[in-house]
Amino acid sequence: RVLFRSIALIASGFFADLLAFMPMVQAKGKTIVCPNIKETYLKFVLPLENRLQTDFIVLHHIGESNEDFSAAEIHRWHINNGWAGIGYHFVIRKNGTIERGRPVDTIGAHCYGYNKRSVGINVVGDFEKDFPTNDQLRSAVQLTAYLCQLYRLNPFGDEVILGHRDLNNTLCPGKNFYAELHDFRTKTQKVFKT
């Protein structure tokens, strides 16, 4: 009996580890697998608060540079600003790699007045002058669809997937990315439905 209980505990631990490694969300009879997210293991210099409500997803760009900055580089900048660390929950690199920023269940520092209710995704680049890569857009669509499932958000309106400029007085996420936002929402909705 003890042997069976030990085997059950080991097996349950194995499956818990497997689920933690590959998070899934069940919605309307289908399972959405989280896209591959590169762990960054960033250390925050101040305590982070848990976010109790998630109403929308805010899309950003770096601005002023089209370089392929990493989450770790942005983390250092934000610490130098006096913040706890990176304000975004996710950073999407030029090749489409999604890097972890802040833990997704914590309050971000990316959209003044709305951080307690949103997840922030930074697609690196200066989209006032340039355009997101196709790899970035694909990854951003997959991640956004997954987050909509995870937080039970309805991506079929204009009030769930937002550009930073929809909420604050800023050019972010850049005119070229912002011009694609309707198409981006449509692609996210297709992933959400399939």
Side-chain angles (χ1 to χ4, degrees), residues 105-187:
D105 59 345
T106 63
I107 296 172
H110 60 92
C111 188
Y112 183 76
Y114 299 93
N115 291 313
K116 291 184 177 181
R117 300 173 45 209
S118 64
V119 173
I121 300 173
N122 187 296
V123 181
V124 297
D126 179 357
F127 304 133
E128 277 295 300
K129 299 175 186 164
D130 292 293
F131 293 84
T133 67
N134 289 333
D135 291 335
Q136 284 179 305
L137 290 172
R138 264 191 301 279
S139 292
V141 163
Q142 290 293 324
L143 178 61
T144 302
Y146 172 77
L147 291 170
C148 285
Q149 293 281 352
L150 182 64
Y151 291 107
R152 293 179 168 78
L153 302 175
N154 181 355
F156 295 95
D158 291 339
E159 65 283 340
V160 169
I161 302 167
L162 303 170
H164 187 186
R165 68 171 58 184
D166 291 322
L167 300 166
N168 294 147
N169 184 18
T170 178
L171 297 175
C172 184
K175 65 184 178 189
N176 295 325
F177 188 15
Y178 193 76
E180 294 184 30
L181 199 53
H182 176 75
D183 187 48
F184 182 89
R185 285 188 189 109
T186 301
K187 289 176 180 173

Coordinates of all heavy atoms in Angstrom, one line a residue, residues 105-187:
D105 N 1.7 36.5 -13.8 CA 0.6 36.7 -12.8 C 0.9 37.9 -11.9 O 0.2 38.2 -10.9 CB 0.4 35.5 -12.0 CG 1.6 35.0 -11.2 OD1 2.7 35.5 -11.5 OD2 1.5 34.2 -10.3
T106 N 1.9 38.7 -12.2 CA 2.2 39.9 -11.4 C 1.8 41.2 -12.2 O 1.6 41.2 -13.4 CB 3.7 40.0 -11.1 OG1 4.5 40.1 -12.3 CG2 4.2 38.7 -10.3
I107 N 1.7 42.3 -11.4 CA 1.4 43.6 -12.0 C 2.6 44.1 -12.7 O 3.7 44.1 -12.2 CB 1.0 44.6 -10.9 CG1 -0.3 44.1 -10.2 CG2 0.8 46.0 -11.4 CD1 -0.6 44.9 -8.9
G108 N 2.4 44.5 -14.0 CA 3.5 45.0 -14.8 C 3.7 46.5 -14.6 O 3.1 47.1 -13.7
A109 N 4.7 47.0 -15.3 CA 5.0 48.5 -15.3 C 5.2 48.9 -16.8 O 6.3 49.2 -17.2 CB 6.2 48.7 -14.5
H110 N 4.1 48.8 -17.5 CA 4.2 49.0 -19.0 C 3.1 50.0 -19.5 O 3.3 50.5 -20.7 CB 4.1 47.7 -19.7 CG 2.8 46.9 -19.5 ND1 1.7 47.1 -20.3 CD2 2.5 46.1 -18.5 CE1 0.7 46.4 -19.8 NE2 1.2 45.7 -18.7
C111 N 2.1 50.2 -18.8 CA 1.0 51.1 -19.3 C 0.3 51.8 -18.1 O -0.5 51.3 -17.4 CB -0.1 50.2 -20.0 SG -1.3 51.1 -20.9
Y112 N 0.8 53.1 -17.9 CA 0.4 53.9 -16.8 C -1.2 53.9 -16.6 O -1.9 54.1 -17.5 CB 0.9 55.3 -17.0 CG 0.6 56.2 -15.8 CD1 1.3 56.1 -14.6 CD2 -0.5 57.1 -15.8 CE1 1.0 56.8 -13.5 CE2 -0.8 57.9 -14.7 CZ -0.1 57.7 -13.6 OH -0.4 58.5 -12.5
G113 N -1.6 53.6 -15.4 CA -3.0 53.6 -15.0 C -3.7 52.2 -15.3 O -4.8 52.1 -14.9
Y114 N -3.1 51.3 -16.0 CA -3.7 50.1 -16.5 C -2.9 48.8 -16.1 O -3.3 47.7 -16.5 CB -4.0 50.1 -18.0 CG -4.9 51.2 -18.3 CD1 -4.4 52.5 -18.7 CD2 -6.3 51.1 -18.3 CE1 -5.2 53.5 -19.1 CE2 -7.1 52.2 -18.6 CZ -6.6 53.4 -19.0 OH -7.4 54.4 -19.3
N115 N -1.8 49.0 -15.4 CA -1.0 47.8 -15.1 C -1.7 46.8 -14.3 O -1.4 45.6 -14.4 CB 0.3 48.3 -14.4 CG 1.2 49.0 -15.4 OD1 1.4 48.6 -16.5 ND2 1.7 50.2 -14.9
K116 N -2.5 47.2 -13.4 CA -3.2 46.2 -12.5 C -4.2 45.3 -13.2 O -4.8 44.4 -12.6 CB -3.9 46.9 -11.3 CG -2.9 47.5 -10.4 CD -3.5 48.2 -9.2 CE -2.5 48.7 -8.2 NZ -3.1 49.3 -7.0
R117 N -4.5 45.6 -14.5 CA -5.6 44.9 -15.2 C -5.1 44.3 -16.5 O -5.9 43.9 -17.3 CB -6.7 45.9 -15.5 CG -7.3 46.5 -14.3 CD -8.3 47.6 -14.6 NE -9.2 47.2 -15.7 CZ -9.8 48.1 -16.5 NH1 -9.5 49.4 -16.4 NH2 -10.6 47.7 -17.5
S118 N -3.8 44.4 -16.8 CA -3.3 44.0 -18.1 C -2.0 43.2 -18.1 O -1.3 43.2 -17.2 CB -3.1 45.2 -19.0 OG -2.1 46.0 -18.5
V119 N -1.8 42.5 -19.3 CA -0.6 41.8 -19.6 C 0.1 42.6 -20.7 O -0.5 43.1 -21.6 CB -0.8 40.4 -20.1 CG1 0.5 39.7 -20.6 CG2 -1.5 39.5 -19.0
G120 N 1.4 42.9 -20.5 CA 2.2 43.7 -21.5 C 3.1 42.8 -22.3 O 3.9 42.0 -21.8
I121 N 3.0 43.0 -23.6 CA 3.9 42.3 -24.6 C 4.7 43.3 -25.4 O 4.1 44.2 -26.0 CB 3.1 41.4 -25.6 CG1 2.2 40.4 -24.8 CG2 4.0 40.8 -26.6 CD1 1.3 39.6 -25.7
N122 N 6.0 43.2 -25.3 CA 6.8 44.1 -26.1 C 7.4 43.3 -27.3 O 8.1 42.3 -27.2 CB 8.0 44.7 -25.3 CG 8.8 45.7 -26.1 OD1 9.4 45.4 -27.1 ND2 8.7 46.9 -25.6
V123 N 7.1 43.9 -28.5 CA 7.6 43.3 -29.8 C 8.7 44.3 -30.1 O 8.5 45.4 -30.4 CB 6.5 43.3 -30.9 CG1 7.1 42.7 -32.1 CG2 5.3 42.5 -30.4
V124 N 10.0 43.8 -30.0 CA 11.1 44.7 -30.1 C 11.3 45.3 -31.5 O 11.1 44.6 -32.5 CB 12.5 44.0 -29.7 CG1 12.4 43.7 -28.2 CG2 12.8 42.9 -30.5
G125 N 11.6 46.6 -31.5 CA 11.8 47.3 -32.8 C 11.2 48.7 -32.7 O 10.6 49.0 -31.7
D126 N 11.5 49.5 -33.6 CA 11.0 50.9 -33.7 C 10.0 50.9 -34.9 O 10.4 51.0 -36.0 CB 12.1 51.9 -34.0 CG 11.5 53.3 -34.1 OD1 10.3 53.5 -34.0 OD2 12.3 54.2 -34.2
F127 N 8.7 50.7 -34.5 CA 7.7 50.6 -35.6 C 7.1 51.9 -36.0 O 6.1 51.9 -36.7 CB 6.7 49.5 -35.2 CG 7.3 48.2 -34.8 CD1 7.0 47.5 -33.7 CD2 8.3 47.7 -35.6 CE1 7.6 46.3 -33.3 CE2 9.0 46.5 -35.3 CZ 8.6 45.8 -34.1
E128 N 7.7 53.0 -35.6 CA 7.4 54.3 -36.3 C 8.1 54.3 -37.6 O 7.6 54.9 -38.6 CB 7.9 55.4 -35.4 CG 7.0 55.8 -34.3 CD 5.6 56.4 -34.8 OE1 5.6 57.4 -35.5 OE2 4.6 55.8 -34.5
K129 N 9.3 53.6 -37.7 CA 10.1 53.6 -38.9 C 10.1 52.3 -39.6 O 10.1 52.2 -40.9 CB 11.5 54.0 -38.6 CG 11.6 55.4 -38.0 CD 13.1 55.7 -37.6 CE 13.1 57.0 -36.8 NZ 14.3 57.1 -36.1
D130 N 10.1 51.2 -38.9 CA 10.2 49.9 -39.4 C 8.9 49.1 -39.2 O 8.0 49.6 -38.7 CB 11.4 49.2 -38.8 CG 12.7 49.8 -39.3 OD1 13.0 49.7 -40.5 OD2 13.4 50.4 -38.5
F131 N 9.0 47.8 -39.5 CA 7.8 46.9 -39.3 C 8.2 45.7 -38.5 O 9.4 45.2 -38.6 CB 7.3 46.4 -40.7 CG 6.7 47.5 -41.5 CD1 7.6 48.4 -42.3 CD2 5.4 47.8 -41.5 CE1 7.0 49.4 -43.0 CE2 4.9 48.8 -42.2 CZ 5.7 49.6 -43.0
P132 N 7.3 45.1 -37.7 CA 7.6 43.8 -37.1 C 7.9 42.8 -38.1 O 7.3 42.8 -39.2 CB 6.3 43.5 -36.3 CG 5.5 44.7 -36.4 CD 5.9 45.5 -37.5
T133 N 8.8 41.8 -37.8 CA 9.0 40.7 -38.7 C 7.8 39.7 -38.7 O 7.0 39.7 -37.8 CB 10.3 39.9 -38.3 OG1 10.0 39.3 -37.1 CG2 11.5 40.8 -38.2
N134 N 7.7 39.0 -39.8 CA 6.7 37.9 -39.8 C 6.8 37.0 -38.7 O 5.8 36.5 -38.1 CB 6.7 37.2 -41.2 CG 6.3 38.0 -42.3 OD1 5.5 39.0 -42.1 ND2 6.8 37.8 -43.5
D135 N 8.0 36.6 -38.3 CA 8.2 35.7 -37.1 C 7.7 36.4 -35.8 O 7.1 35.7 -35.0 CB 9.7 35.4 -37.0 CG 10.2 34.5 -38.1 OD1 9.4 33.7 -38.7 OD2 11.5 34.5 -38.3
Q136 N 8.0 37.6 -35.7 CA 7.5 38.3 -34.5 C 5.9 38.3 -34.5 O 5.3 38.1 -33.4 CB 8.0 39.8 -34.4 CG 9.4 39.9 -34.0 CD 9.8 41.4 -34.0 OE1 9.7 42.1 -35.1 NE2 10.3 41.8 -32.9
L137 N 5.3 38.6 -35.6 CA 3.9 38.7 -35.7 C 3.3 37.3 -35.4 O 2.3 37.2 -34.6 CB 3.4 39.2 -37.0 CG 3.7 40.7 -37.2 CD1 3.4 41.1 -38.7 CD2 2.9 41.6 -36.2
R138 N 3.8 36.3 -36.0 CA 3.3 34.9 -35.7 C 3.4 34.6 -34.2 O 2.4 34.1 -33.6 CB 4.1 33.9 -36.5 CG 3.5 33.5 -37.8 CD 4.2 32.3 -38.4 NE 5.6 32.4 -38.7 CZ 6.1 33.1 -39.7 NH1 5.3 33.6 -40.7 NH2 7.4 33.2 -39.9
S139 N 4.5 34.8 -33.6 CA 4.7 34.5 -32.2 C 3.7 35.4 -31.3 O 3.1 34.9 -30.4 CB 6.1 34.8 -31.7 OG 7.0 33.8 -32.3
A140 N 3.6 36.7 -31.7 CA 2.7 37.5 -30.9 C 1.3 37.1 -31.0 O 0.5 37.1 -30.0 CB 2.9 39.0 -31.4
V141 N 0.8 36.6 -32.2 CA -0.5 36.1 -32.4 C -0.7 34.9 -31.5 O -1.8 34.8 -30.8 CB -0.8 35.8 -33.9 CG1 -2.0 34.9 -34.1 CG2 -1.0 37.1 -34.7
Q142 N 0.2 33.9 -31.6 CA 0.1 32.7 -30.8 C 0.0 33.0 -29.3 O -0.8 32.4 -28.6 CB 1.2 31.7 -31.1 CG 1.2 31.1 -32.5 CD 0.0 30.2 -32.7 OE1 -0.4 29.5 -31.7 NE2 -0.6 30.2 -33.8
L143 N 0.9 33.9 -28.9 CA 1.0 34.2 -27.4 C -0.3 34.9 -27.0 O -0.9 34.6 -26.0 CB 2.2 35.1 -27.2 CG 2.3 35.6 -25.7 CD1 2.5 34.4 -24.7 CD2 3.5 36.5 -25.6
T144 N -0.8 35.9 -27.8 CA -2.0 36.6 -27.5 C -3.2 35.7 -27.4 O -4.0 35.8 -26.5 CB -2.2 37.8 -28.5 OG1 -1.0 38.6 -28.5 CG2 -3.4 38.6 -28.1
A145 N -3.3 34.8 -28.4 CA -4.4 33.8 -28.4 C -4.4 33.0 -27.1 O -5.4 32.8 -26.5 CB -4.4 33.0 -29.6
Y146 N -3.2 32.5 -26.8 CA -3.1 31.7 -25.6 C -3.5 32.5 -24.3 O -4.2 32.0 -23.5 CB -1.6 31.2 -25.4 CG -1.4 30.5 -24.1 CD1 -1.8 29.3 -23.9 CD2 -0.7 31.2 -23.1 CE1 -1.6 28.6 -22.6 CE2 -0.5 30.6 -21.9 CZ -1.0 29.3 -21.6 OH -0.8 28.7 -20.4
L147 N -3.0 33.8 -24.2 CA -3.4 34.6 -23.1 C -4.9 34.9 -23.0 O -5.4 34.9 -21.9 CB -2.6 35.9 -23.1 CG -1.1 35.7 -22.9 CD1 -0.3 37.1 -23.2 CD2 -0.7 35.3 -21.5
C148 N -5.5 35.1 -24.2 CA -6.9 35.2 -24.2 C -7.6 34.0 -23.6 O -8.6 34.1 -22.8 CB -7.4 35.5 -25.6 SG -7.1 37.2 -26.1
Q149 N -7.2 32.8 -24.0 CA -7.7 31.6 -23.4 C -7.4 31.5 -21.9 O -8.3 31.2 -21.1 CB -7.1 30.4 -24.1 CG -7.5 30.2 -25.6 CD -8.9 29.7 -25.8 OE1 -9.5 29.2 -24.9 NE2 -9.3 29.7 -27.0
L150 N -6.2 31.8 -21.6 CA -5.8 31.6 -20.2 C -6.6 32.5 -19.2 O -7.0 32.1 -18.2 CB -4.3 32.0 -20.0 CG -3.7 31.9 -18.6 CD1 -3.7 30.4 -18.2 CD2 -2.3 32.4 -18.7
Y151 N -6.9 33.8 -19.7 CA -7.6 34.7 -18.8 C -9.0 34.9 -19.2 O -9.7 35.8 -18.7 CB -6.9 36.1 -18.8 CG -5.5 36.0 -18.1 CD1 -4.3 36.0 -18.9 CD2 -5.5 35.8 -16.8 CE1 -3.1 35.9 -18.2 CE2 -4.2 35.8 -16.1 CZ -3.1 35.8 -16.8 OH -1.9 35.7 -16.2
R152 N -9.5 34.0 -20.1 CA -10.9 34.0 -20.5 C -11.3 35.3 -21.0 O -12.4 35.9 -20.7 CB -11.8 33.5 -19.3 CG -11.6 32.1 -18.9 CD -12.6 31.7 -17.8 NE -12.6 30.3 -17.6 CZ -11.7 29.6 -16.9 NH1 -10.6 30.2 -16.5 NH2 -11.8 28.3 -16.8
L153 N -10.5 35.9 -21.9 CA -10.8 37.1 -22.6 C -11.3 36.9 -23.9 O -10.9 35.9 -24.6 CB -9.5 38.0 -22.7 CG -8.7 38.3 -21.4 CD1 -7.4 39.0 -21.7 CD2 -9.6 39.1 -20.5
N154 N -12.3 37.7 -24.4 CA -12.9 37.5 -25.7 C -12.2 38.4 -26.7 O -12.3 39.6 -26.7 CB -14.4 37.9 -25.6 CG -15.1 37.8 -26.9 OD1 -14.5 37.5 -27.9 ND2 -16.4 38.0 -26.9
P155 N -11.4 37.8 -27.6 CA -10.6 38.6 -28.5 C -11.4 39.2 -29.7 O -10.9 39.8 -30.6 CB -9.5 37.6 -29.0 CG -10.3 36.3 -29.0 CD -11.2 36.4 -27.8
F156 N -12.7 39.0 -29.7 CA -13.6 39.3 -30.8 C -14.1 40.8 -30.8 O -14.9 41.2 -31.6 CB -14.7 38.4 -31.0 CG -14.2 37.0 -31.4 CD1 -14.0 36.0 -30.4 CD2 -13.9 36.6 -32.7 CE1 -13.6 34.8 -30.7 CE2 -13.5 35.4 -33.0 CZ -13.3 34.5 -32.0
G157 N -13.6 41.6 -29.9 CA -13.9 43.0 -29.8 C -12.7 43.8 -30.0 O -11.6 43.3 -30.1
D158 N -12.8 45.1 -29.9 CA -11.7 46.0 -30.0 C -11.1 46.4 -28.6 O -10.3 47.3 -28.5 CB -12.1 47.3 -30.8 CG -12.4 47.0 -32.2 OD1 -11.9 46.0 -32.7 OD2 -13.0 47.8 -32.9
E159 N -11.7 45.9 -27.6 CA -11.3 46.3 -26.2 C -10.5 45.4 -25.4 O -10.2 45.6 -24.3 CB -12.6 46.7 -25.4 CG -13.5 45.5 -25.1 CD -14.4 45.1 -26.2 OE1 -14.6 45.8 -27.2 OE2 -14.8 43.9 -26.2
V160 N -10.0 44.3 -26.1 CA -9.2 43.3 -25.4 C -7.7 43.3 -25.8 O -6.8 43.3 -25.0 CB -9.8 41.9 -25.5 CG1 -8.9 40.8 -25.0 CG2 -11.1 41.8 -24.8
I161 N -7.5 43.4 -27.1 CA -6.1 43.4 -27.6 C -5.9 44.9 -28.1 O -6.5 45.4 -29.0 CB -6.0 42.5 -28.8 CG1 -6.3 41.1 -28.4 CG2 -4.5 42.6 -29.4 CD1 -6.5 40.1 -29.6
L162 N -5.0 45.6 -27.3 CA -4.9 47.0 -27.5 C -3.4 47.4 -27.8 O -2.5 46.7 -27.3 CB -5.3 47.8 -26.2 CG -6.8 47.5 -25.8 CD1 -7.0 48.1 -24.4 CD2 -7.7 48.1 -26.8
G163 N -3.2 48.5 -28.5 CA -1.9 49.1 -28.6 C -1.8 50.0 -27.4 O -2.8 50.6 -26.9
H164 N -0.6 50.2 -27.0 CA -0.3 51.1 -25.8 C -1.0 52.5 -26.0 O -1.5 53.1 -25.1 CB 1.2 51.3 -25.6 CG 1.6 52.0 -24.4 ND1 3.0 52.3 -24.2 CD2 1.0 52.5 -23.4 CE1 3.1 53.0 -23.1 NE2 1.9 53.1 -22.6
R165 N -0.9 53.0 -27.3 CA -1.5 54.3 -27.6 C -3.0 54.4 -27.3 O -3.6 55.5 -27.3 CB -1.2 54.8 -29.0 CG -1.8 54.0 -30.1 CD -1.7 54.5 -31.4 NE -0.3 54.7 -31.8 CZ 0.1 55.2 -32.9 NH1 -0.7 55.7 -33.8 NH2 1.4 55.3 -33.2
D166 N -3.7 53.2 -27.3 CA -5.1 53.2 -27.0 C -5.4 53.6 -25.6 O -6.6 54.0 -25.3 CB -5.7 51.8 -27.3 CG -5.7 51.4 -28.7 OD1 -6.0 52.3 -29.6 OD2 -5.5 50.3 -29.0
L167 N -4.4 53.6 -24.7 CA -4.7 53.8 -23.3 C -3.9 55.0 -22.8 O -4.3 55.6 -21.8 CB -4.3 52.6 -22.5 CG -5.1 51.3 -22.9 CD1 -4.5 50.1 -22.3 CD2 -6.6 51.5 -22.4
N168 N -2.7 55.3 -23.4 CA -1.9 56.4 -22.9 C -1.5 57.3 -24.1 O -1.6 56.9 -25.2 CB -0.6 55.9 -22.2 CG -0.9 55.1 -20.9 OD1 -0.1 54.2 -20.6 ND2 -1.8 55.5 -20.2
N169 N -1.1 58.5 -23.8 CA -0.6 59.5 -24.8 C 0.8 59.1 -25.2 O 1.8 59.6 -24.6 CB -0.7 60.9 -24.3 CG -0.4 61.9 -25.3 OD1 -0.4 61.6 -26.5 ND2 0.0 63.1 -24.9
T170 N 0.9 58.3 -26.2 CA 2.2 57.8 -26.7 C 2.1 57.3 -28.1 O 1.0 57.1 -28.7 CB 2.6 56.6 -25.8 OG1 3.9 56.0 -26.3 CG2 1.6 55.4 -25.8
L171 N 3.2 57.2 -28.8 CA 3.2 56.7 -30.2 C 3.3 55.2 -30.2 O 3.1 54.5 -31.2 CB 4.5 57.2 -31.0 CG 4.5 58.7 -31.2 CD1 5.8 59.2 -31.8 CD2 3.3 59.2 -32.0
C172 N 3.6 54.6 -29.1 CA 3.7 53.1 -28.9 C 2.4 52.4 -29.3 O 1.4 52.9 -28.8 CB 4.2 52.8 -27.5 SG 4.5 51.1 -27.2
P173 N 2.4 51.4 -30.0 CA 3.5 50.5 -30.5 C 4.1 50.9 -31.9 O 4.5 50.0 -32.6 CB 2.8 49.1 -30.6 CG 1.4 49.4 -31.0 CD 1.1 50.7 -30.3
G174 N 4.0 52.2 -32.2 CA 4.5 52.6 -33.5 C 3.4 52.6 -34.6 O 2.6 51.7 -34.6
K175 N 3.4 53.5 -35.5 CA 2.4 53.7 -36.5 C 2.3 52.4 -37.4 O 1.2 52.0 -37.8 CB 2.5 54.9 -37.3 CG 3.8 55.0 -38.2 CD 3.9 56.3 -38.9 CE 5.2 56.3 -39.7 NZ 5.5 57.6 -40.2
N176 N 3.4 51.8 -37.7 CA 3.4 50.7 -38.6 C 2.8 49.4 -38.0 O 2.1 48.7 -38.6 CB 4.8 50.4 -39.2 CG 5.3 51.6 -40.0 OD1 4.5 52.2 -40.7 ND2 6.5 51.8 -39.9
F177 N 3.1 49.2 -36.7 CA 2.5 48.0 -36.0 C 1.0 48.3 -35.7 O 0.2 47.5 -35.9 CB 3.3 47.7 -34.7 CG 2.9 46.5 -34.0 CD1 2.1 45.5 -34.6 CD2 3.4 46.2 -32.7 CE1 1.8 44.3 -33.9 CE2 3.0 45.1 -32.0 CZ 2.3 44.1 -32.6
Y178 N 0.8 49.6 -35.3 CA -0.6 49.9 -34.9 C -1.5 49.8 -36.1 O -2.7 49.4 -36.0 CB -0.6 51.3 -34.4 CG -1.9 51.7 -33.7 CD1 -2.3 51.2 -32.5 CD2 -2.9 52.5 -34.4 CE1 -3.5 51.5 -31.9 CE2 -4.1 52.8 -33.8 CZ -4.4 52.3 -32.5 OH -5.6 52.5 -31.9
A179 N -1.0 50.1 -37.3 CA -1.8 50.0 -38.6 C -2.2 48.6 -38.8 O -3.2 48.3 -39.5 CB -1.1 50.6 -39.7
E180 N -1.4 47.6 -38.3 CA -1.7 46.2 -38.5 C -2.6 45.6 -37.4 O -2.8 44.4 -37.4 CB -0.4 45.4 -38.6 CG 0.5 45.8 -39.8 CD 1.7 44.9 -39.9 OE1 1.7 43.8 -39.4 OE2 2.7 45.4 -40.4
L181 N -3.0 46.4 -36.5 CA -3.7 45.9 -35.3 C -5.0 45.2 -35.6 O -5.3 44.1 -35.0 CB -3.9 47.0 -34.2 CG -4.2 46.5 -32.8 CD1 -3.1 45.5 -32.3 CD2 -4.2 47.7 -31.9
H182 N -5.7 45.7 -36.6 CA -7.0 45.0 -37.0 C -6.7 43.6 -37.5 O -7.3 42.7 -37.1 CB -7.8 45.9 -38.0 CG -9.0 45.2 -38.5 ND1 -10.1 45.1 -37.7 CD2 -9.3 44.6 -39.6 CE1 -11.1 44.4 -38.3 NE2 -10.6 44.1 -39.5
D183 N -5.7 43.6 -38.4 CA -5.3 42.3 -39.0 C -4.8 41.3 -37.9 O -5.1 40.1 -37.9 CB -4.3 42.5 -40.1 CG -4.0 41.2 -40.9 OD1 -4.9 40.5 -41.3 OD2 -2.8 41.0 -41.0
F184 N -4.0 41.9 -37.0 CA -3.5 41.1 -35.9 C -4.6 40.5 -35.0 O -4.6 39.3 -34.7 CB -2.6 42.0 -35.0 CG -1.9 41.3 -33.8 CD1 -0.7 40.8 -34.0 CD2 -2.5 41.3 -32.6 CE1 -0.1 40.1 -32.9 CE2 -1.9 40.6 -31.5 CZ -0.7 40.0 -31.7
R185 N -5.6 41.3 -34.7 CA -6.8 40.8 -34.0 C -7.5 39.7 -34.7 O -7.8 38.7 -34.2 CB -7.8 41.9 -33.7 CG -7.4 42.9 -32.6 CD -8.5 43.8 -32.3 NE -8.1 44.9 -31.5 CZ -7.9 46.2 -31.8 NH1 -8.2 46.5 -33.1 NH2 -7.5 47.1 -31.0
T186 N -7.6 39.9 -36.0 CA -8.3 38.9 -36.9 C -7.5 37.5 -36.8 O -8.1 36.5 -36.7 CB -8.4 39.4 -38.3 OG1 -9.2 40.6 -38.3 CG2 -9.1 38.3 -39.2
K187 N -6.2 37.6 -37.0 CA -5.4 36.4 -36.9 C -5.4 35.7 -35.5 O -5.5 34.5 -35.4 CB -3.9 36.7 -37.3 CG -3.7 37.1 -38.7 CD -2.3 37.5 -39.0 CE -2.2 37.8 -40.5 NZ -0.9 38.3 -40.9

